[in-house]
Amino acid sequence: MRRTNVVAWAALVVAVAALVSSRAVTRPVPAAAGIPSEGQKEAKALSEAFEAVADFVRPSVVKINVIHEGGIRMINPRGGRNPNPMQPNSPKDLEEMLKRFFGPEFEFPQQQFGGRAQGTGSGFVYDDKGHILTNNHVIDRATKVEVVFHDGSKATAKVIGADKDADVAVIQVEKSSLRPALRGKSGALRVGELVMAIGAPFGLGQTVTTGIISATERSDIAITAYGRLIQTDAAINPGNSGGPLVDMDGRVVGINTAIATGAASSSNAGVGFAIPIDFAENVADQIIKTGKVKYARLGVQLEPLTADLAKALKVDPETKGLVAVQVVPGSPAAKAGIKVGDVITSFNGTPTINPGSLRSQVALSAIGKEYDLVLIRHGKEQHVNVVLAPAEVVDSRFEGNDESPKAAENGDEAQSLGDFGLSLQALTPELASRLGHPKTAKGLVVTEVKEKSPAEDAEIQVGDLVSSVIKNGDSVAVDSVESLQKIVGKSDEITLLVKSGKGANGGLTRFVTLKKAK
């Protein structure tokens, strides 16, 4: 009897559990939370804004096909092996790049590397006279230039002119009913601002990518002779060269020109560069008017003011400016009285941000015109007037290429400079020639750099030239080790003007502050 009751109770428990389980399964499941309407509105508004910009700009963007005689030549706008991943270094590099992009089954058109070859780039309509703006490296050495428009129509273009230093070129078609792209102000760009790149990557015409302004005033990369490049993460790839970078008003703010990428790839890695339109349109206008570009020069080499330099030069450490490290004899800077050690804070009313920015601003300023330049010397602000000269005149005198008295012979033996870790001797013409210094150079040659010394930490190398030392806020020239030792005395900190020889730094002139180890 007891056994029967146990079985009955067990059956009852199982039945109740099944009933509960069944009801749980059929219990209504709450509906998924809906997408917030406000967020969806914002997303749609942004999407519609991109669509509107693309629709507005694309009719003004063109694909450029170029024919080169003698096969494709992979171009480096600055000479030497090409550092610009927008243009592969050889046909083999291009083939490997395309196979990585399209897959190993991609069939490469080998016949293009015979007597004639075709390349692709981008551009945009510049005005209502059929002028089209692109990169110099897109059309360089081209025997035929063909433009493909938004509607698929084609036209042969002639090259009006190009400038290698700026990497800007102007071509022209007879078609005059084209709508020019609107131009914005690249100087007003803000980091984080939304932008769009349009062009023909890998020959795929009318391709649109979006991103932001990653940085402005990039002057520390050797893509063009004049820096101040715009950096963006909008996807830029081979074939985008010459196409526009536009803001959210549909206005061109830059010309896409290069990308930075790893050695294993030549495609986009999120770091692209564009030439600012403010600079490019000035170059283009000169090309259209005269067929060439005239650049101006100030004739001074500069470096950013650091805290150590400000202290040595007796300048307020909060000062923003550039320090003169070399003044070309007979240049506008020399005639205006600018000296090594002067801190330049503005040119023509514009604050000096970095050497590349000032170089670009000066380059396209009027030759022969007087400009106001503000500098600080001995802690006091001064205004000087400079009259800019043609680049070819100033450049011919740079690095002592003009004829002037030779440095005096001096057979002094090398001597050590206290505890700063370097030995020096007076420069002779023979040493200057052998070490890659100008024949007119004067100063002291570094003959030894001790390991783990302040000199080694500052990357001073054997063969470098020490031409002056900062004393009481002034740059004082030195031509003997004894004179330098006398100035240094028992100081724990010195600031030297050092110029590199033929080593890794390749002629760089800079102020170097050495501090004794404590």
Side-chain angles (χ1 to χ4, degrees), residues 29 33-34 161 230 267 356 361 368 395:
V29 178
I230 301 165
S267 55
Q361 184 184 2
D395 290 348

Side-chain angles (χ1 to χ4, degrees), residues 222-280:
I223 293 175
T224 68
Y226 300 96
R228 302 183 69 184
L229 296 176
I230 301 165
Q231 181 182 329
T232 179
D233 68 346
I236 298 173
N237 285 292
N240 272 115
S241 283
L245 184 72
V246 301
D247 61 19
M248 291 305 289
D249 289 323
R251 297 177 182 270
V252 179
V253 293
I255 303 175
N256 301 318
T257 190
I259 59 175
T261 186
S265 173
S266 294
S267 55
N268 178 265
V271 182
F273 301 99
I275 301 168
I277 193 62
D278 295 353
F279 183 84

